[in-house]
Amino acid sequence: MKLNENYSNLKESYLFSTIAKKVNEFSAAHPDKKIIRLGIGDVTLPLCKAVVNAMKSAVEEMGVQSTFRGYGPEQGYDFLKNAIKNYYAEKNVSLAPDEIFISDGAKSDLGNILDLFDKDNTVLVPDPVYPVYVDTNIMAGRKIIYINANEENDFLPAPDESIKADIIYICSPNNPTGAVYTKEGLKKWVDYALNNNAIILFDAAYEAFITDATLPHSIYEIEGAKNCAIEFCSFSKTAGFTGTRCGYTVVPHALGRLNKMWLRRQTTKFNGVPYIVQRGAEAVFTEEGRKEIQTNLNYYRENAKIIADTLTECGIKFFGGKFSPYIWLKCPNNMSSWDFFDYLLTNIQVVGTPGEGFGKNGEGFFRLTSFGSRENTIEAMKRLKSLIK
Ligand SMILES: *Cc1c(COP(=O)(O)O)cnc(C)c1O
């Protein structure tokens, strides 16, 4: 027996454990101080009524012989695939139902898709980055190169023809920076991929946060993208499904064998998302569901605005926040990410995420999220103002 030694090449992630340790130590020493956490990358508002009702009905169906369902199609039920197909049609993207694959979330699919690609591919990831893209490729032993996302390019790197890559990760709106590509910006990547016979793995987990009609929700809004891109999306951030688990991946027929290969991979290694959960996800696309998820998204958007306005008042430079739940701020006075973390924890008991944890270009930056409660967000910003202004 030999182990997969690639696992020993993974860097231990100390980010969230270090944060927890520092917070626990502070709180033990100062039990009277109320700590506000704006570092969370998880939603906090509950599932909306339409989703809950749809899942309740589905539970009832499962308890009755005539409507009970056993194994479903591994790639998802038609009712959900059709709802997603119609959602894309609104963005003028025409998909066939068998180009859509339902899964238990974007994270699993982002990792699993790598089954379809040879080890001998060069992977391009932006720095800073969602760590999943990096670690899944390290586990497979693939070569990874980084492209700098920084202040100079507004955290939206453009392709560089001198860099040769086969698999390219793009996340827009971005976690952790909140940056969003325009259609023109994405077009450059699509052209690069087509010219270099590369594939783009496009993570659209935060597409629902976009409110500007000119910004692309899907990479397929860009001409040619069906020939070079796989898109991953999820109900996690859109509709609060982080604990319920449902997402989808689009593998266009224009990508040739990849569509059939993914179908084969999923039917072999995956047995589908629970019927009850798929009914809940379907309800997200109903008129009632849409209204309700917008109410929740607006709550997060308003939190983001409160944070953004405060940073502006304090003269702190930041990115994102407008079309994403993440506000990526530049630490004032050239403080390092961790110094700023300590500064906020010690002085105002506000917890965020040091940017350095997302890659070397994250050093000197700090991520705040709009997923907290309104009350806590307001209180945290009041404290920040009194500290900085
Ligand atoms: C939260 C998140 C996802 C969604 O993951 P799920 O597995 O669907 O919950 C995907 N990509 C990024 C960048 C995320 O932050």
Side-chain angles (χ1 to χ4, degrees), residues 156-212:
L156 294 168
D160 174 346
E161 281 296 340
S162 71
I163 294 176
K164 292 297 160 208
D166 306 303
I167 300 173
I168 299 156
Y169 285 86
I170 299 177
C171 178
S172 175
N174 192 270
N175 178 9
T177 69
V180 191
Y181 277 102
T182 60
K183 284 187 180 163
E184 296 69 38
L186 272 190
K187 172 98 175 39
K188 288 184 190 155
W189 280 108
V190 168
D191 291 344
Y192 171 94
L194 292 171
N195 288 338
N196 291 277
N197 193 26
I199 187 124
I200 295 172
L201 304 181
F202 188 76
D203 186 343
Y206 297 95
E207 62 85 17
F209 284 83
I210 296 174
T211 48
D212 179 332

Side-chain angles (χ1 to χ4, degrees), residues 2 9 70 87 91 101 104 150 158 167 195 199 211-212 215 282 332 375 387:
K2 294 193 185 102
N9 297 326
Y87 180 61
K91 305 174 235 184
F101 298 82
D104 64 347
N150 51 32
I167 300 173
N195 288 338
I199 187 124
T211 48
D212 179 332
L215 294 172
E282 180 193 23
E375 190 193 356
L387 178 71

Side-chain angles (χ1 to χ4, degrees), residues 41 103-110 130 132-133 171 173-176 203-206 232-237 241-243 245-248 326 367 371:
S103 73
D104 64 347
K107 184 171 167 177
S108 347
D109 281 3
L110 282 158
Y130 178 55
V132 172
Y133 310 154
C171 178
N174 192 270
N175 178 9
D203 186 343
Y206 297 95
F232 302 84
C233 201
S234 167
F235 296 95
S236 283
K237 313 301 165 29
F241 272 55
T242 51
R245 310 304 306 143
C246 195
Y248 53 91
Y326 300 115
R367 193 189 75 174
F371 287 135

Side-chain angles (χ1 to χ4, degrees), residues 49-218:
K49 274 276 169 308
V51 168
V52 171
N53 290 337
M55 290 205 289
K56 275 187 184 165
S57 309
V59 168
E60 288 301 328
E61 284 179 52
M62 292 297 270
V64 174
Q65 175 89 62
S66 61
T67 49
F68 167 78
R69 308 211 186 199
Y71 290 123
E74 291 91 342
Q75 64 276 31
Y77 282 105
D78 282 340
F79 62 78
L80 180 54
K81 292 199 288 180
N82 282 321
I84 293 168
K85 174 181 170 289
N86 294 339
Y87 180 61
Y88 274 83
E90 290 168 24
K91 305 174 235 184
N92 294 316
V93 175
S94 142
L95 296 178
D98 62 353
E99 293 177 309
I100 301 165
F101 298 82
I102 311 301
S103 73
D104 64 347
K107 184 171 167 177
S108 347
D109 281 3
L110 282 158
N112 294 336
I113 201 80
L114 296 173
D115 273 14
L116 312 190
F117 301 100
D118 194 276
K119 178 181 161 292
D120 188 20
N121 275 301
T122 298
V123 177
L124 183 66
V125 293
D127 173 347
V129 71
Y130 178 55
V132 172
Y133 310 154
V134 174
D135 289 351
T136 50
N137 280 292
I138 291 178
M139 288 172 181
R142 265 186 216 96
K143 182 180 170 208
I144 301 172
I145 51 179
Y146 293 89
I147 184 158
N148 292 322
N150 51 32
E151 250 185 299
E152 286 71 53
N153 56 31
D154 285 332
F155 292 93
L156 294 168
D160 174 346
E161 281 296 340
S162 71
I163 294 176
K164 292 297 160 208
D166 306 303
I167 300 173
I168 299 156
Y169 285 86
I170 299 177
C171 178
S172 175
N174 192 270
N175 178 9
T177 69
V180 191
Y181 277 102
T182 60
K183 284 187 180 163
E184 296 69 38
L186 272 190
K187 172 98 175 39
K188 288 184 190 155
W189 280 108
V190 168
D191 291 344
Y192 171 94
L194 292 171
N195 288 338
N196 291 277
N197 193 26
I199 187 124
I200 295 172
L201 304 181
F202 188 76
D203 186 343
Y206 297 95
E207 62 85 17
F209 284 83
I210 296 174
T211 48
D212 179 332
T214 67
L215 294 172
H217 289 252
S218 162

